[in-house]
Amino acid sequence: RTAEGAPVSEMAVRSVVSAPQAGARVPEGELEVAGSAWSGTSAVARVDVSCDGGESWNEATLERLADSRWAAVRWRLETSLLPGRREIVSRATDASGATQPLTPVWNAGGYANNVAHRIAVEVPRH
């Protein structure tokens, strides 16, 4: 059960960044950011990606892997990164309107935590 007493029988909407890897050194310029998203209540409707720690967002392209509302989707975004330390954030929204929170909503045991996924990458100067 969550802190509010609701059962934890359904998976909340979630997404992860799988490329680039956390801590990677990536070249300045064009870069494909990719990952996957899923939800236990309805189909994933969109994934938004930020490459500046959540200051601005771009909608990723979704690729449905199966014709099922329960199936994970792949997502990808072509972007450009400037030199420096960059924080990439993915945030999914499902068809019911549920969206990953930007800050964790904690409860005893950490159940139902579906905070937006964040990774840091380094873009060296040429």
Side-chain angles (χ1 to χ4, degrees), residues 16 20 27 29 37-38 45 76 81 91-92:
V16 295
W38 61 97
R76 84 174 99 230
L81 297 180
R91 185 180 195 192

Short mmCIF file of all heavy atoms in Angstrom, two decimals, residues 16 20 27 29 37-38 45 76 81 91-92:
data_model
loop_
_atom_site.label_atom_id
_atom_site.label_comp_id
_atom_site.label_asym_id
_atom_site.label_seq_id
_atom_site.Cartn_x
_atom_site.Cartn_y
_atom_site.Cartn_z
N VAL A 16 12.59 5.30 -19.02
CA VAL A 16 14.02 5.28 -18.73
C VAL A 16 14.79 5.75 -19.96
O VAL A 16 14.35 5.55 -21.09
CB VAL A 16 14.54 3.88 -18.30
CG1 VAL A 16 13.94 3.45 -16.99
CG2 VAL A 16 14.29 2.85 -19.38
N PRO A 20 22.19 8.01 -24.41
CA PRO A 20 23.48 7.48 -24.01
C PRO A 20 23.43 6.94 -22.59
O PRO A 20 22.44 7.15 -21.88
CB PRO A 20 24.40 8.69 -24.11
CG PRO A 20 23.50 9.86 -23.87
CD PRO A 20 22.17 9.48 -24.44
N PRO A 27 29.92 13.34 -27.95
CA PRO A 27 30.44 14.44 -28.76
C PRO A 27 29.46 15.61 -28.82
O PRO A 27 28.25 15.44 -28.73
CB PRO A 27 30.62 13.80 -30.14
CG PRO A 27 29.68 12.65 -30.16
CD PRO A 27 29.59 12.17 -28.74
N GLY A 29 27.24 18.38 -30.53
CA GLY A 29 26.45 18.36 -31.76
C GLY A 29 25.33 17.35 -31.69
O GLY A 29 24.79 17.05 -30.63
N ALA A 37 9.40 3.22 -22.39
CA ALA A 37 8.39 3.68 -21.44
C ALA A 37 7.27 2.66 -21.38
O ALA A 37 7.03 1.92 -22.35
CB ALA A 37 7.84 5.04 -21.87
N TRP A 38 6.57 2.59 -20.25
CA TRP A 38 5.47 1.65 -20.07
C TRP A 38 4.56 2.15 -18.96
O TRP A 38 4.92 3.03 -18.19
CB TRP A 38 6.00 0.25 -19.77
CG TRP A 38 6.81 0.17 -18.50
CD1 TRP A 38 6.38 -0.22 -17.27
CD2 TRP A 38 8.19 0.51 -18.34
NE1 TRP A 38 7.41 -0.15 -16.34
CE2 TRP A 38 8.53 0.30 -16.98
CE3 TRP A 38 9.19 0.98 -19.20
CZ2 TRP A 38 9.81 0.53 -16.47
CZ3 TRP A 38 10.45 1.22 -18.69
CH2 TRP A 38 10.75 0.98 -17.35
N ALA A 45 1.13 7.46 -24.00
CA ALA A 45 0.66 8.42 -25.00
C ALA A 45 1.79 9.31 -25.53
O ALA A 45 1.76 9.71 -26.69
CB ALA A 45 -0.44 9.29 -24.41
N ARG A 76 12.57 7.87 -29.00
CA ARG A 76 13.85 8.44 -29.43
C ARG A 76 13.68 9.91 -29.73
O ARG A 76 12.59 10.36 -30.11
CB ARG A 76 14.43 7.68 -30.61
CG ARG A 76 13.91 8.10 -31.93
CD ARG A 76 14.61 7.43 -33.09
NE ARG A 76 13.77 6.33 -33.53
CZ ARG A 76 14.19 5.10 -33.72
NH1 ARG A 76 15.42 4.78 -33.55
NH2 ARG A 76 13.37 4.19 -34.12
N LEU A 81 23.61 18.81 -28.42
CA LEU A 81 24.11 19.20 -27.10
C LEU A 81 25.31 20.11 -27.21
O LEU A 81 26.20 19.88 -28.01
CB LEU A 81 24.49 17.96 -26.29
CG LEU A 81 23.38 16.96 -25.97
CD1 LEU A 81 23.95 15.79 -25.18
CD2 LEU A 81 22.26 17.63 -25.22
N ARG A 91 10.32 11.77 -19.30
CA ARG A 91 9.08 11.85 -18.53
C ARG A 91 7.93 11.36 -19.41
O ARG A 91 7.60 11.99 -20.41
CB ARG A 91 8.85 13.31 -18.12
CG ARG A 91 7.67 13.52 -17.23
CD ARG A 91 7.56 14.99 -16.89
NE ARG A 91 6.66 15.17 -15.77
CZ ARG A 91 6.18 16.33 -15.39
NH1 ARG A 91 6.51 17.43 -16.03
NH2 ARG A 91 5.37 16.40 -14.36
N ALA A 92 7.32 10.24 -19.03
CA ALA A 92 6.25 9.64 -19.83
C ALA A 92 4.87 10.06 -19.30
O ALA A 92 4.71 10.32 -18.10
CB ALA A 92 6.36 8.12 -19.81
#
